[in-house]
Amino acid sequence: MQPETLKFNSNKVSKNHFKAWFGSFFYFYVMQLLSIQLFIYLIYKSLYEKSIASGAILVSLCTYQFYFAKRSETFIRFIKWLYFPSIFEDWTFVQEEPIQEKNSMIAFHPHCIFNIAFIWNNHINYQITPLASRIIYNVPFTGIFIRWLGISTVDAQNMKNKMKKGQNIGLLPGGFEEATLTSTQENRVYIKNRKGFIKYALQYGYTVYPSYGFGENKCYYTIEKFLSFRLLLNKLKLVGAYFISKYGWIPHHNFGIHTVVGKGIKLPQIVNPTQQDVNKYHEIYLEQLIELFNKYKKEYNQGDQILKIY
């Protein structure tokens, strides 16, 4: 089957350049940085200045976030309308075969800093439930936007609940460690000891689609020294990735981001898989991920790079 290719043409949306930059500011500053600063400001006003109004706003927003906020189709349409990916020179999506309607898992690499391609393509091309760390999900106020986008948590119980129903899900197996590994010079994935997603896929008979986003590692300057220490911070659930661009949190944009979803790996259903079963299919997954990278790396400007496995 020939790959299905959906390619973003920057020439067709040049008239929306201002909208795209506004969308980038909204996505990377309002949804991320400014919302956290608002939380800190309300904490300060409530505790230090004893402001009743600030305390009421703080309690109201936290109550809404943790008990009432949920996926909003209106908000998702708004994010689509902003179309912030049009700040990039090119934006490509390639799908080697259609994703089946049930029991599908998209495993995306690399995580990078904000996993832009994974989150965006979910709402345009995947139509799945993306799963993310509970830490990100529960960041005060930012978590409201995360919930509006329909993102759920990647913890074991939540995954099992969704997979029992055959729901299609997407995740980033490399997690915070893969974000910490982000390098503008190399393509890196953190996968050697990430096998839990394979175990669950075996238990529920899922098809796993390896996926790779070429170019996203160039979005930010990153600190690459002290890697062992920064990975240790990840084990303590602390941030280990340090980044900046010439626009602050808005990414560099003078290059393309190209997402490829490979052919699915149909796993047998094994209710109680052994470690040997998990290792076997994890190795198959890793081989196909490397093959996917090698197949498209020259087409998407990676030259003769090799995919570095951690």
Side-chain angles (χ1 to χ4, degrees):
M1 180 179 295
Q2 293 296 316
E4 174 188 349
T5 304
L6 304 175
K7 188 171 183 179
F8 165 74
N9 186 328
S10 59
N11 294 327
K12 292 183 178 180
V13 295
S14 58
K15 62 181 179 181
N16 293 325
H17 197 63
F18 174 79
K19 184 176 72 173
W21 276 96
F22 173 75
S24 298
F25 178 83
F26 180 83
Y27 189 86
F28 294 102
Y29 277 97
V30 176
M31 288 178 56
Q32 311 282 346
L33 190 61
L34 296 182
S35 59
I36 296 173
Q37 290 178 338
L38 174 61
F39 174 75
I40 295 172
Y41 172 76
L42 290 175
I43 286 284
Y44 170 80
K45 294 283 287 186
S46 302
L47 299 182
Y48 184 76
E49 296 188 0
K50 305 294 191 299
S51 170
I52 296 176
S54 295
I57 294 172
L58 180 66
V59 171
S60 298
L61 288 174
C62 287
T63 300
Y64 173 74
Q65 174 176 337
F66 291 102
Y67 294 100
F68 301 104
K70 60 182 180 180
R71 180 185 174 97
S72 168
E73 296 302 328
T74 300
F75 183 70
I76 291 173
R77 284 196 296 271
F78 172 66
I79 293 297
K80 288 181 180 180
W81 176 77
L82 291 175
Y83 209 104
F84 71 81
S86 62
I87 66 171
F88 295 101
E89 284 189 354
D90 200 8
W91 184 277
T92 302
F93 177 81
V94 174
Q95 187 176 321
E96 291 197 328
E97 67 180 21
I99 298 169
Q100 60 187 31
E101 294 181 359
K102 293 185 64 178
N103 296 88
S104 293
M105 175 192 291
I106 294 178
F108 187 84
H109 303 272
H111 185 292
C112 292
I113 304 302
F114 285 110
N115 42 83
I116 302 167
F118 174 72
I119 297 300
W120 179 263
N121 285 320
N122 166 66
H123 298 300
I124 302 300
N125 300 309
Y126 297 151
Q127 299 301 310
I128 59 172
T129 299
L131 305 180
S133 165
R134 281 180 292 185
I135 295 175
I136 301 299
Y137 194 74
N138 292 319
V139 171
F141 300 0
T142 293
I144 294 175
F145 297 110
I146 298 297
R147 286 165 166 79
W148 284 352
L149 284 172
I151 298 171
S152 190
T153 59
V154 76
D155 60 282
Q157 191 56 55
N158 187 49
M159 283 185 66
K160 290 178 180 179
N161 290 340
K162 294 185 181 303
M163 295 176 81
K164 284 177 183 177
K165 301 173 184 177
Q167 293 182 13
N168 287 356
I169 59 175
L171 47 76
L172 298 124
F176 281 176
E177 286 81 0
E178 199 165 272
T180 296
L181 288 169
T182 301
S183 167
T184 59
Q185 305 301 314
E186 295 181 329
N187 286 273
R188 302 170 174 176
V189 296
Y190 190 89
I191 192 63
K192 283 183 179 178
N193 295 312
R194 286 292 160 86
K195 301 179 181 181
F197 72 106
I198 295 294
K199 179 180 178 180
Y200 294 144
L202 284 168
Q203 288 179 326
Y204 297 99
Y206 264 57
T207 297
V208 181
Y209 296 83
S211 180
Y212 200 87
F214 295 89
E216 189 166 342
N217 61 317
K218 300 183 183 300
C219 285
Y220 298 95
Y221 303 120
T222 57
I223 293 177
E224 298 187 34
K225 293 183 178 181
F226 314 112
L227 181 58
S228 297
F229 172 71
R230 292 187 290 113
L231 289 172
L232 176 62
L233 291 179
N234 293 151
K235 293 184 182 298
L236 301 174
K237 305 302 181 184
L238 299 174
V239 174
Y242 302 100
F243 64 93
I244 196 70
S245 82
K246 59 185 176 183
Y247 309 109
W249 276 31
I250 295 176
H252 297 136
H253 59 91
N254 58 334
F255 55 89
I257 292 182
H258 311 278
T259 301
V260 181
V261 182
K263 294 180 179 179
I265 305 167
K266 175 63 178 175
L267 272 59
Q269 184 167 14
I270 306 174
V271 178
N272 294 302
T274 65
Q275 191 59 51
Q276 287 182 326
D277 293 326
V278 174
N279 290 343
K280 172 185 175 181
Y281 288 101
H282 181 269
E283 187 63 29
I284 291 173
Y285 171 82
L286 182 54
E287 289 174 358
Q288 294 209 19
L289 176 64
I290 294 172
E291 182 181 332
L292 185 72
F293 177 84
N294 289 335
K295 181 178 179 180
Y296 290 93
K297 64 182 182 181
K298 289 188 177 180
E299 181 177 353
Y300 295 132
N301 308 312
Q302 304 304 308
D304 293 320
Q305 281 200 35
I306 60 171
L307 183 62
K308 297 199 68 173
I309 310 298
Y310 288 81

